[in-house]
Amino acid sequence: MSALLAEEGLEVRAVEPSAAMRAQARPHPLIAQVAATAEDTGLGAASCDLVVYAQSWHWVDPAAAGAEAVRILKPGAPLVIVFNQMDVTAQWVHRLCRIMRSGDVHRADRPPRPAGFAPPVLERFWWEDRMEPEQILELGTTRSSYLRADAARRRAMQDNLRWYLYEHLGHRADQEITIPYSTLVWTTRAPAARVHSGSTPAPEVP
């Protein structure tokens, strides 16, 4: 997401607490890495025109992260929460995700609730990816359920995936499989600037 935003000409402050994750990022002249968390970014007050949580909101504290977003966003600036996932409305994809034990499927009827913001508005986009069976097997090894499992459970998960793809669905090793995806984009805006009581109102412009 940082790279996509930078490609649009935006100056990006990529906030990431994990050194291992930061090491994976490719250098870009418009991207500056920030070793911090969503709850305490260290960025200046009212310094951001846009805040985006890309596949990460479910890891944060909604109250603390919301308060921090209010602090760093300019008044009225947008906050965007993006979830990208396989489209489990397709029955075979739903079963695929269950075998991979993908627990991060986010529902359109359960919006995120960043503290200090109005309820976000949803836009949803559908698209497709194409992968060979062995690539899907490799994708399964990136899921947290696989990474937390012991060796025996890892083997069982991969065996179940291999059976599902090759025997049950009948795919060949060199066959590309079209996988439907759904991207949920939730958008809200920072509160507008408040007028403090006792302040002198701005003069009207004729």
Side-chain angles (χ1 to χ4, degrees):
M1 179 61 77
S2 296
L4 291 172
L5 293 172
E7 288 171 7
E8 294 296 322
L10 302 180
E11 293 185 9
V12 180
R13 302 292 179 266
V15 177
E16 171 55 59
S18 168
M21 290 292 287
R22 292 195 303 273
Q24 297 296 317
R26 296 180 180 177
H28 191 287
L30 291 179
I31 300 176
Q33 294 191 18
V34 179
T37 66
E39 296 84 355
D40 185 13
T41 65
L43 301 177
S47 62
C48 298
D49 297 297
L50 168 69
V51 168
V52 180
Y53 297 87
Q55 207 77 4
S56 59
W57 181 256
H58 54 299
W59 295 110
V60 309
D61 180 301
E68 178 69 350
V70 169
R71 186 186 71 82
I72 65 177
L73 275 170
K74 295 177 181 177
L79 177 147
V80 180
I81 298 172
V82 181
F83 293 124
N84 189 57
Q85 58 201 20
M86 292 183 182
D87 183 6
V88 294
T89 60
Q91 185 61 37
W92 76 269
V93 177
H94 183 262
R95 187 171 182 182
L96 176 69
C97 289
R98 287 179 64 88
I99 294 173
M100 287 197 292
R101 300 184 181 179
S102 298
D104 56 346
V105 176
H106 302 277
R107 293 172 45 174
D109 60 348
R110 294 183 179 177
R113 301 185 182 278
F117 290 83
V121 176
L122 174 64
E123 289 184 275
R124 195 166 188 176
F125 304 90
W126 285 265
W127 57 284
E128 295 177 342
D129 196 9
R130 290 175 175 81
M131 305 178 72
E132 295 179 356
E134 292 302 314
Q135 292 175 309
I136 297 176
L137 285 162
E138 184 178 359
L139 180 64
T141 67
T142 68
R143 297 299 195 251
S144 59
S145 56
Y146 178 91
L147 295 171
R148 291 196 303 264
D150 58 27
R153 290 186 178 183
R154 288 184 177 187
R155 284 194 300 272
M157 291 169 69
Q158 286 283 285
D159 288 344
N160 289 338
L161 267 181
R162 189 171 286 105
W163 168 84
Y164 184 60
L165 293 168
Y166 288 117
E167 297 185 37
H168 185 74
L169 296 179
H171 293 298
R172 303 186 311 273
D174 61 348
Q175 179 182 357
E176 282 195 336
I177 303 169
T178 300
I179 304 174
Y181 272 80
S182 173
T183 301
L184 286 69
V185 181
W186 298 94
T187 303
T188 183
R189 290 185 177 272
R194 297 181 177 87
V195 177
H196 298 285
S197 59
S199 61
T200 303
E204 294 185 3
V205 178

